[in-house]
């Protein structure tokens, strides 16, 4: 049996664990032991990762996968014991053709017109948050004052959720991405969020608006259960990820004066900087996970039907064969092609919205606060090693 398992412990705040970086030097694909004792595979190389993500002989259905982290093994087992099923509409964890149907309906809602409207609102929301920061006089926690409110407000705008009701789900989404949460707490959080969203869907049927949920209801192809599942996916995916990129990305820039200066001196680099920060920081600790539906050969390794394959994206996005010198942050690097938004049929549907939030957010923050700096020593910034989505719990800054 192999001794290779998974950990989220990082020796340095912006780098993946050294164990996996050294492992990548020996090849793209490695035998690995999952938390439940099952042997599967770990991918650390870029070419192999793209091959797995693009191959529909690998399934994304959760009932086929094995828990990649020991901290979540209890949750996976309790979910199985309660015969918990992925709700209709939560299409991230489905395969074609079911996934294709949902994705097509959602793509029709992410129109150019809606994205342009949302970009204008992102600018308004960002400036309003920066006004409040400036009025406070600092120091402030950038996560609470800036990084979390912006994507939260935007996803509320997209779904038609009254922002004053965000407290109904925000604490629960934290539980869902915690690696230390008890299984019973995670299941209870899922129930509360679904109850809230099901009620929201009912309200939208009675009083439709200009939001995405109302548009899906008008299309008439989804049941209330399916609409609730779609809303749940977009809600969780739509603010935890971007919020942590804004927080961790700002921390990374403040910790690297040369890159911060380069971006301040040339604001036209902001689009490229967003891609580089996505690549360099890759906030998904471990994953995604796929399971072979039949025997498949990847990089000379035969992956048997039923075996799970875990991709280590933080290491993959630094593969020197694709990104020479990838362990360095370089806002001038052409970083397109990273896998931070995935690849293949499950590539992030809201990636353009996320890019807009980061592009507008980072640019406005650096413009409004040219003296922005950490308000505590760098080694005192609390990191989210205990969460499935990496980032900072708090980022005290002043200017």
């Amino acid at each position: 049996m192999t001794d290779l398992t998974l950990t989220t412990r990082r020796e340095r705040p912006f780098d993946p664990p050294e164990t996996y970086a050294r492992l990548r030097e020996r090849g793209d694909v490695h035998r690995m032991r999952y938390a439940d004792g099952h042997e599967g595979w770990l991918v650390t190389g870029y070419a192999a990762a793209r091959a797995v993500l693009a191959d529909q002989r690998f399934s994304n259905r959760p009932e086929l996968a094995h828990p990649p982290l020991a901290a979540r093994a209890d949750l996976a087992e309790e979910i199985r014991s309660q015969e918990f099923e992925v709700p209709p509409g939560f299409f991230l964890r489905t395969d074609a053709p079911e996934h294709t149907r949902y994705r097509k309906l959602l793509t029709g809602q992410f129109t150019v017109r809606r994205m342009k409207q949302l970009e204008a609102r992102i600018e308004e929301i960002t400036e309003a948050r920066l006004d409040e920061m400036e009025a406070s006089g600092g120091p402030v926690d950038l996560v609470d004052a800036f990084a979390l409110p912006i994507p939260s407000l935007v996803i509320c705008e997209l779904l038609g959720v009254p922002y004053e009701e965000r407290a109904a789900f925000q604490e629960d989404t934290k539980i869902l991405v915690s690696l230390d949460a008890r299984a019973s707490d995670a299941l209870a959080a899922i129930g509360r969020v679904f109850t809230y969203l099901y009620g929201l869907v009912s309200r939208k049927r009675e009083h439709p608006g200009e939001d995405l949920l109302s548009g899906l209801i008008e299309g008439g192809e989804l049941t209330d259960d399916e609409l609730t599942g779609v809303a749940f996916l977009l809600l969780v995916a739509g603010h935890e990820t971007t919020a942590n990129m804004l927080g961790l990305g700002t921390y990374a820039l403040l910790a690297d004066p040369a890159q911060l200066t380069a971006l301040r001196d040339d604001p036209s680099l902001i689009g490229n900087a967003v891609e580089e920060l996505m690549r360099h920081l890759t906030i998904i600790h471990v994953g995604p996970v796929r399971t072979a539906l039949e025997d498949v050969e990847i990089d000379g390794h035969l992956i048997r039907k039923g075996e799970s394959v875990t991709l280590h994206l933080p290491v993959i996005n630094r593969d020197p064969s694709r990104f020479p010198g990838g362990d360095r942050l370089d806002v001038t690097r052409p970083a397109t092609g990273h896998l931070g938004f995935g690849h293949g049929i499950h590539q992030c549907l809201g990636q353009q919205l996320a890019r807009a939030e980061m592009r507008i957010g980072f640019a406005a923050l650096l413009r409004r606060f040219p003296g922005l700096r950490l308000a505590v020593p760098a080694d005192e910034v609390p990191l989210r090693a205990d969460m499935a989505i990496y980032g900072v719990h708090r980022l005290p800054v002043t200017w």
Side-chain angles (χ1 to χ4, degrees), residues 196-267:
Y196 170 77
L197 291 173
Y198 193 89
L200 180 67
V201 169
S202 298
R203 285 151 55 190
K204 293 294 177 186
R205 283 203 181 277
E206 294 293 324
H207 305 286
E210 297 296 320
D211 52 87
L212 182 145
L213 268 182
S214 296
L216 289 172
I217 289 170
E218 184 180 356
E221 294 191 43
L222 299 178
T223 66
D224 283 8
D225 286 340
E226 289 176 310
L227 288 162
T228 301
V230 167
F232 181 83
L233 172 58
L234 296 178
L235 183 66
V236 175
H239 79 273
E240 272 289 336
T241 48
T242 309
N244 284 291
M245 271 305 306
L246 286 169
L248 188 65
T250 301
Y251 180 26
L253 289 170
L254 293 179
D256 194 331
Q259 296 305 306
L260 181 63
T261 298
L263 188 54
R264 279 201 172 121
D265 289 350
D266 186 359

Side-chain angles (χ1 to χ4, degrees), residues 95-171:
D95 298 332
E98 184 182 6
H99 174 271
T100 309
R101 171 179 171 252
Y102 287 118
R103 179 114 184 172
K104 183 177 180 180
L105 290 173
L106 264 294
T107 301
Q109 293 297 320
F110 279 84
T111 61
V112 173
R113 175 175 170 269
R114 176 167 279 146
M115 291 304 102
K116 285 189 177 299
Q117 288 176 335
L118 281 172
E119 284 201 21
R121 282 293 291 137
I122 294 168
E123 291 175 355
E124 293 174 7
I125 289 166
T126 301
E127 294 299 333
R129 299 309 303 180
L130 294 175
D131 288 344
E132 289 189 23
M133 278 180 56
E134 189 171 19
S136 75
V140 301
D141 172 15
L142 195 76
V143 172
D144 184 61
F146 181 78
L148 184 58
I150 290 174
S152 294
L153 277 162
V154 173
I155 199 63
C156 286
E157 188 99 2
L158 179 67
L159 293 176
V161 175
Y163 187 60
E164 62 273 14
E165 296 179 8
R166 71 193 184 282
F169 59 78
Q170 209 155 68
E171 287 304 313

Side-chain angles (χ1 to χ4, degrees), residues 28 44 65 107 145 154 162-163 171 231 249 252 256 277 286 300 346 353 389:
D28 280 9
T44 56
T107 301
V154 173
Y163 187 60
E171 287 304 313
D256 194 331
L277 287 166
V286 177
H346 289 286
L353 180 59
I389 309 296

